[in-house]
Amino acid sequence: MREPVDLRRQRILAAVQARGAARVRDLAEELQVSVVTVRRDVEELTRAGRLRRGHGVVRSTLPAEEVPARAGAAPGDRVAVVVPERHSYLTETLHGARTVLEEAGLRIALHIAPQVPGAERPLVERALADGARGLLLAPRWRSRADEEADEGWLAELTVPTVLMERRPRRGSAAQALDSVCSDHWYGAHLAVEHLVGLGHRRLVFATRDDSPTARSLRTAFTGIAGEHPLVEWWAWALSAPEAGAGGPYAADETAQLPALLREVGATAMVLHGDVDALMIVQRLADEGVRVPQDCSVVAYDDVVAGLGAPPLTAVSPPKAEVGRVAAELLLQRLSGAPGGRSVRRVELLPRLTVRGSTGTPTV
């Protein structure tokens, strides 16, 4: 499924505002869309007064040089931010970090890591060579092997570094890095308690399995449901055929979700993330399954869940707050503030927004 237009434009805006200016051709390459598409998006953002357009170049209406510097920040200070390509979830996180850093007079150098293993390391090395004084990182880590491959060089970084929505495994060489994450166990708990409170007893959890968040959610959902005294039956499955990292998976874990619902008589499901949830709701409608009358649906991420028909009840991790807290922690490291020496592992709680996709079971 194509990336929603509003999310793509948010990414364009974030990239240009972080750099002050960018070439249209470079933006198209980073977003993996056509130059024509980027030009069309830039035209709309220009009409809205959010960007300025030139010959092949687009500029921010608020260049980083014009942001007032906070006391203690030297002119030209730069922080590198490295996030995965095509990861709309982190757009709000990036905006949260940007607000804090620019208020401190720091410029952001945004780097987009392509969808290949080990893509972050050369970007970090380039950023450090360009003079970055600190790093905010969100490695893709599609699998445990990807994480292990990055542990060594992450532990050897010599500038203040904070991981966003990533937490190194216990005992790893990178565990001594600061990190700011959403408490995804609590997010899973909110979803399960909401559905159980409505009277649902048979649940399907459909998550991706190709990111640290996805793996954390799978563990949380299965653990919470397995121990809940009111849950009579539950199953886990991939939210989309391409959502796994290779398996191996049992047959029911790769089953078509509408068929799995009918087979076990489940009356509710939780899906990670929003796009997969919206597509499943469409498939359910095609097969005559009504949401929420026949099946309640909770999405996990809440980036575009509220735009569905019906709008989806969703767990919303504090995405912007993760970015703000990570940036504030990085500023403490850069300033050498007292009390900032011990490693911080910050967890922020998600919230649940109830919309029209959940209700009392009718069967």
Side-chain angles (χ1 to χ4, degrees):
M1 182 177 179
R2 292 183 179 179
E3 182 179 38
V5 173
D6 58 335
L7 295 181
R8 186 179 66 243
R9 290 176 181 170
Q10 286 180 24
R11 293 179 62 200
I12 291 172
L13 186 63
V16 176
Q17 289 180 334
R19 304 169 194 172
R23 295 194 310 168
V24 170
R25 188 171 299 278
D26 291 341
L27 291 170
E29 182 177 347
E30 289 177 11
L31 273 66
Q32 291 192 342
V33 297
S34 70
V35 171
V36 172
T37 296
V38 173
R39 284 176 180 160
R40 188 162 49 241
D41 290 339
V42 166
E43 287 176 2
E44 291 299 321
L45 291 168
T46 300
R47 290 193 191 101
R50 307 185 75 182
L51 293 177
R52 293 199 306 267
R53 191 174 48 158
H55 294 292
V57 177
V58 56
R59 301 183 187 280
S60 172
T61 54
L62 182 60
E65 292 87 345
E66 297 178 9
V67 178
R70 183 185 293 172
D77 279 351
R78 184 186 307 173
V79 167
V81 180
V82 181
V83 296
E85 174 190 21
R86 294 182 180 274
H87 205 315
S88 59
Y89 175 96
L90 289 169
T91 300
E92 292 180 48
T93 303
L94 175 61
H95 283 309
R98 172 179 172 266
T99 299
V100 172
L101 294 172
E102 290 188 348
E103 286 180 354
L106 295 175
R107 296 195 61 182
I108 295 176
L110 177 63
H111 299 268
I112 309 296
Q115 301 184 58
V116 294
E120 290 82 8
R121 183 173 185 176
L123 295 178
V124 168
E125 292 173 346
R126 185 185 309 165
L128 295 178
D130 289 341
R133 294 183 56 224
L135 300 168
L136 292 177
L137 304 180
R140 185 174 301 276
W141 287 353
R142 294 174 61 90
S143 67
R144 173 71 173 271
D146 290 342
E147 179 179 348
E148 292 176 349
D150 285 343
E151 290 173 354
W153 68 267
L154 285 173
E156 295 173 358
L157 291 171
T158 57
V159 300
T161 301
V162 180
L163 298 177
M164 301 185 299
E165 286 293 15
R166 303 291 184 263
R167 176 149 296 159
R169 62 185 180 85
R170 293 180 178 178
S172 73
Q175 190 177 7
L177 290 177
D178 292 313
S179 62
V180 180
C181 298
S182 302
D183 184 342
H184 294 298
W185 184 94
Y186 184 75
H189 166 77
L190 289 176
V192 173
E193 287 299 328
H194 174 63
L195 292 172
V196 170
L198 290 172
H200 297 280
R201 299 294 182 262
R202 301 173 74 81
L203 312 173
V204 168
F205 305 111
T207 72
R208 306 189 65 85
D209 201 29
D210 56 359
S211 73
T213 297
R215 295 193 298 276
S216 295
L217 281 175
R218 177 183 182 180
T219 300
F221 280 130
T222 56
I224 292 168
E227 297 175 0
H228 203 294
L230 297 179
V231 175
E232 299 173 357
W233 181 94
W234 63 268
W236 174 84
L238 287 172
S239 58
E242 69 278 7
Y249 303 109
D252 60 338
E253 294 176 339
T254 57
Q256 296 293 319
L257 289 174
L260 182 60
L261 283 171
R262 290 192 299 269
E263 178 183 344
V264 300
T267 59
M269 64 167 59
V270 186
L271 294 114
H272 174 232
D274 287 2
V275 172
D276 288 339
L278 291 169
M279 293 182 69
I280 287 298
V281 170
Q282 292 171 184
R283 288 183 55 197
L284 291 174
D286 292 341
E287 300 192 19
V289 178
R290 300 168 300 167
V291 173
Q293 294 91 335
D294 303 323
C295 178
S296 286
V297 174
V298 176
Y300 197 101
D301 274 355
D302 205 15
V303 177
V304 292
L307 303 179
L312 302 185
T313 294
V315 175
S316 179
K319 299 173 280 293
E321 187 68 10
V322 166
R324 285 193 292 269
V325 173
E328 290 168 355
L329 183 51
L330 183 62
L331 288 177
Q332 292 177 20
R333 294 294 186 194
L334 291 171
S335 66
R341 295 178 181 175
S342 59
V343 174
R344 307 289 180 87
R345 306 187 73 181
V346 181
E347 282 193 333
L348 304 175
L349 299 185
R351 60 184 176 84
L352 178 75
T353 299
V354 178
R355 301 189 180 100
S357 66
T358 52
T360 303
T362 57
V363 292

